Amino acid sequence: MDVRQELLRRFAAPLPEYYTRRIVVFRDDQGGFTADVEQMELPDVRILIMRENEWFTLRRQIESDYAQENILLYCPREFERWQDNWLADVFKYSEEFRADYWSLLFEELHIADGVKTRRYAQSVGRFFASRERVAKLGALKSDYRTEQELKIGVMSVLCGLKSVSFPDVIGAVVLGMHEEENEKLKAIGKFCGEDAFWLLVEGAFGYTGQRDAGELACYLLTSAAWLNAPEDAFAGLPGASDYAQQAYALFTKWPHTDREALLETCHAVEERYPIAARLQRLERAELMRVSVYPCVDALLIRTTLTAFAQNSMNVDEVQEMMQARRELPWWGLYAPYADVLGALCDMQLFARAYREGFHFTDAEEMFAAYASRLYRMDAAYRHVCVAADQALTLGLFALEDELKAAMQAAERLYKNGYLAPLGVCWSALLAGQTLETALAIVPRQERFYAEHVRGEDARTFVIISDALRYDVAQELTERLHGRLSGNTVCTAMVGTIPTITPVGMAALLPHKKLALTEELSVLCDGMRTDAGNREAVLRAACPQSTALELGVFRRMTRAQR
């Protein structure tokens, strides 16, 4: 760049409003242009050079002797402190000009040009040698006002971040601990020096341990976990309770950055350090408040399963725990186990409600009780079984023994605390009378067509699901009620004995009389009722009827349907 031509351009530019002259301060910290300036001539511009012990002379010339002239004030030195510059006020109301590489770079990136920022930029000159890295630094932030901001900006570029953020820089280094060679940390060390990153971490989080990403991960995660843990919870492990607040704020950002990498990091720290052993010493109430490490949730689940197996589970405490842990980072990892706990709570609550057994005055009262509430024990036990099967597919071997013990206890509770006493009560109420007599006013399966299909004004669709449990039907009703705009109602009927598929299917068809042949085929008014003949039975009562198997219906086109 031609310095003289650039200065001529500056002085030829229109003056700002209310200005009568232009003063340009030529900053040249190394004094490299001194000889050029001493010989330089600029039309209509007075050139003054700042020299030691001439401060008062210069001020008199600027403010009095040459008060009406344009001035180029050449400053061939730098000031450690702003107050050391006796012409600081002149610098403030004047325009600044620099001609060296760093000045132009700082102007391009909007970096505040000061002694510290310039010194730092020069110390990491290898970073600025790449136009690609320079462009990325400029794109990350609109300006860099301090040396600290510039340092973090450089590291953010080296870590491939999309914004200038020291927490994200630490996250990139810590979450990169699983790489064979931590590329982010390696890049920072190459361009910024090995001390740069660790000094920043020490200043922000007090870390003075080994320069190892794994130990740093333990330090930060444990410090974060200390926020809600007792003072001696992690004694002897890398971590600092004094920095718990700062570390936890850092931790909360990481799940949004790379959740999988954070989980892998947490597991790696749990394997490398005795985290779980420390946490096992805590009381349940203390452990409930701790987060950060996934093993906390595993410990809570294990102790809860054990308590159920030993018949000492406190339902209220478990429900409170599940509510509190639901919003924490790692509870979702154990979702099937959480479902098991929820269903075990339901079983326990049912058992608590009927701990005195089942007492009804007649069979109809008991039938109504089952249809409205007793079925919930069947639903809870089914939920336990389904969730346990899903939990076992996770391969969390540390929890499987406790899960199996809890399942055995659940089965004992279901059989001995529900099925057996319920069966005894039912048999006692039916003693000496037929089912028809005992449940005279209860709807019956064989009257289904007459009461729900015949005589309907609109088309009626009947979906028959063989051996569908009543508790499943109730759950399906609840789900449909939330999804569909119409009304969804679940009602119960007394099944036809024997409760086998051929008899049940035939009972749903229109008929006046059911009969059983010697070949054990069921007839409706003399017509066969096996799969190929059901449509004929329907059409005998209503010609616009049809009967289809699900597979056939699925293969139909829309027009055929």
Side-chain angles (χ1 to χ4, degrees):
M1 179 181 70
D2 187 324
V3 174
R4 184 174 182 277
Q5 289 299 320
E6 181 62 23
L7 287 170
L8 286 172
R9 186 189 64 78
R10 284 286 190 97
F11 280 102
L15 287 169
E17 190 174 4
Y18 304 118
Y19 278 69
T20 59
R21 64 169 178 166
R22 174 172 271 114
I23 300 176
V24 176
V25 177
F26 185 168
R27 298 284 299 274
D28 181 16
D29 297 345
Q30 307 301 319
F33 290 90
T34 301
D36 296 322
V37 172
E38 288 175 343
Q39 300 176 15
M40 187 181 295
E41 292 183 3
L42 299 173
D44 302 321
V45 177
R46 177 75 62 176
I47 299 177
L48 302 177
I49 299 176
M50 293 178 64
R51 294 187 175 92
E52 290 290 340
N53 303 320
E54 292 186 3
W55 308 114
F56 289 110
T57 301
L58 285 169
R59 182 172 293 279
R60 189 195 70 230
Q61 290 174 334
I62 294 170
E63 298 180 357
S64 178
D65 296 350
Y66 312 128
Q68 305 303 317
E69 298 182 27
N70 293 324
I71 294 176
L72 174 66
L73 180 62
Y74 177 64
C75 177
R77 56 168 297 179
E78 62 179 339
F79 297 95
E80 288 289 341
R81 300 181 307 162
W82 189 248
Q83 55 265 41
D84 293 337
N85 182 2
W86 285 42
L87 296 177
D89 58 333
V90 177
F91 279 52
K92 286 292 187 183
Y93 64 70
S94 302
E95 298 177 19
E96 185 177 287
F97 173 78
R98 289 181 182 269
D100 62 291
Y101 166 77
W102 294 109
S103 300
L104 297 174
L105 182 66
F106 276 33
E107 184 176 351
E108 175 189 347
L109 298 177
H110 303 287
I111 300 173
D113 199 346
V115 174
K116 291 183 178 180
T117 52
R118 183 170 284 245
R119 187 177 295 162
Y120 174 72
Q122 291 172 344
S123 71
V124 294
R126 292 179 64 190
F127 173 87
F128 290 100
S130 165
R131 285 305 303 174
E132 181 182 358
R133 289 193 292 268
V134 169
K136 289 180 179 178
L137 184 65
L140 288 185
K141 201 172 187 294
S142 59
D143 58 20
Y144 296 87
R145 292 167 292 180
T146 65
E147 178 190 10
Q148 183 85 342
E149 286 186 3
L150 187 56
K151 284 182 179 179
I152 297 172
V154 168
M155 292 184 188
S156 297
V157 171
L158 295 173
C159 289
L161 303 180
K162 296 181 179 179
S163 63
V164 176
S165 168
F166 187 53
D168 290 346
V169 169
I170 297 178
V173 171
V174 168
L175 301 183
M177 63 175 286
H178 314 290
E179 301 171 0
E180 186 173 342
E181 189 170 8
N182 196 319
E183 295 298 330
K184 306 295 190 303
L185 188 57
K186 180 181 177 182
I188 292 174
K190 176 181 177 180
F191 290 100
C192 304
E194 293 184 0
D195 295 338
F197 172 77
W198 300 105
L199 289 174
L200 285 177
V201 174
E202 179 181 352
F205 299 98
Y207 178 75
T208 57
Q210 297 180 16
R211 293 183 174 181
D212 172 73
E215 182 164 330
L216 175 60
C218 180
Y219 177 89
L220 293 173
L221 292 173
T222 302
S223 299
W226 230 316
L227 182 64
N228 298 307
E231 184 64 29
D232 60 345
F234 300 103
L237 295 178
S241 59
D242 293 343
Y243 288 90
Q245 193 75 46
Q246 298 93 314
Y248 191 80
L250 185 70
F251 168 77
T252 57
K253 294 177 178 291
W254 288 345
H256 307 291
T257 302
D258 191 336
R259 182 180 176 83
E260 292 303 317
L262 174 58
L263 177 61
E264 190 176 356
T265 299
C266 289
H267 283 320
V269 171
E270 289 174 352
E271 292 176 5
R272 182 171 176 177
Y273 298 91
I275 303 297
R278 293 287 194 277
L279 292 171
Q280 283 177 336
R281 302 174 183 176
L282 301 182
E283 298 292 334
R284 181 183 178 84
E286 294 174 330
L287 189 62
M288 275 277 294
R289 296 193 294 270
V290 181
S291 58
V292 177
Y293 286 114
C295 65
V296 176
D297 297 294
L299 285 171
L300 289 169
I301 290 171
R302 179 183 298 126
T303 56
T304 304
L305 291 172
T306 300
F308 183 86
Q310 296 173 352
N311 197 28
S312 61
M313 186 181 81
N314 185 313
V315 174
D316 297 330
E317 285 184 357
V318 175
Q319 291 180 329
E320 180 184 356
M321 175 196 75
M322 294 176 66
Q323 182 66 30
R325 306 297 298 184
R326 185 173 292 124
E327 302 303 322
L328 295 179
W330 308 124
W331 185 251
L333 298 174
Y334 306 95
Y337 281 92
D339 291 340
V340 169
L341 296 185
L344 290 177
C345 286
D346 291 339
M347 291 185 68
Q348 195 72 48
L349 288 171
F350 186 96
R352 180 196 298 178
Y354 293 94
R355 56 180 173 271
E356 301 298 331
F358 302 98
H359 306 286
F360 301 99
T361 58
D362 56 48
E364 289 178 347
E365 182 188 0
M366 185 171 179
F367 185 93
Y370 182 85
S372 62
R373 60 184 185 275
L374 298 184
Y375 74 88
R376 297 187 184 280
M377 185 60 151
D378 290 315
Y381 180 67
R382 174 171 54 85
H383 289 156
V384 168
C385 295
V386 172
D389 286 344
Q390 293 173 343
L392 290 173
T393 65
L394 297 180
L396 301 176
F397 303 118
L399 294 175
E400 288 190 2
D401 286 348
E402 288 79 4
L403 175 63
K404 292 171 183 177
M407 286 300 300
Q408 292 173 356
E411 185 171 356
R412 288 195 299 271
L413 176 61
Y414 182 63
K415 289 181 176 179
N416 302 331
Y418 173 67
L419 289 183
L422 194 68
V424 169
C425 182
W426 181 247
S427 298
L429 292 174
L430 289 180
Q433 56 184 327
T434 65
L435 196 63
E436 290 80 359
T437 304
L439 301 174
I441 65 173
V442 177
R444 306 186 62 79
Q445 184 180 17
E446 59 264 29
R447 293 200 290 265
F448 169 78
Y449 188 90
E451 295 176 356
H452 293 279
V453 181
R454 180 179 286 127
E456 290 293 324
D457 293 334
R459 285 191 299 172
T460 300
F461 297 85
V462 179
I463 301 174
I464 301 172
S465 180
D466 189 22
L468 180 71
R469 290 164 57 107
Y470 180 76
D471 61 281
V472 175
Q474 284 284 5
E475 185 173 328
L476 179 61
T477 301
E478 294 173 6
R479 295 191 184 188
L480 291 175
H481 190 71
R483 296 181 185 180
L484 303 180
S485 58
N487 294 324
T488 308
V489 179
C490 184
T491 58
M493 289 183 164
V494 180
T496 303
I497 295 177
T499 55
I500 57 176
T501 299
V503 174
M505 296 290 278
L508 295 173
L509 294 170
H511 65 275
K512 293 180 181 179
K513 181 181 179 181
L514 291 177
L516 189 65
T517 67
E518 293 182 0
E519 295 82 16
L520 301 182
S521 296
V522 184
L523 304 179
C524 283
D525 300 333
M527 302 177 68
R528 294 178 62 87
T529 60
D530 47 327
N533 296 292
R534 289 171 193 154
E535 186 170 292
V537 177
L538 283 171
R539 289 189 172 181
C542 176
Q544 291 79 34
S545 300
T546 188
L548 295 171
E549 290 186 348
L550 179 61
V552 174
F553 182 76
R554 280 179 170 172
R555 291 192 293 272
M556 283 183 170
T557 65
R558 183 174 180 179
Q560 289 172 329
R561 291 178 180 179

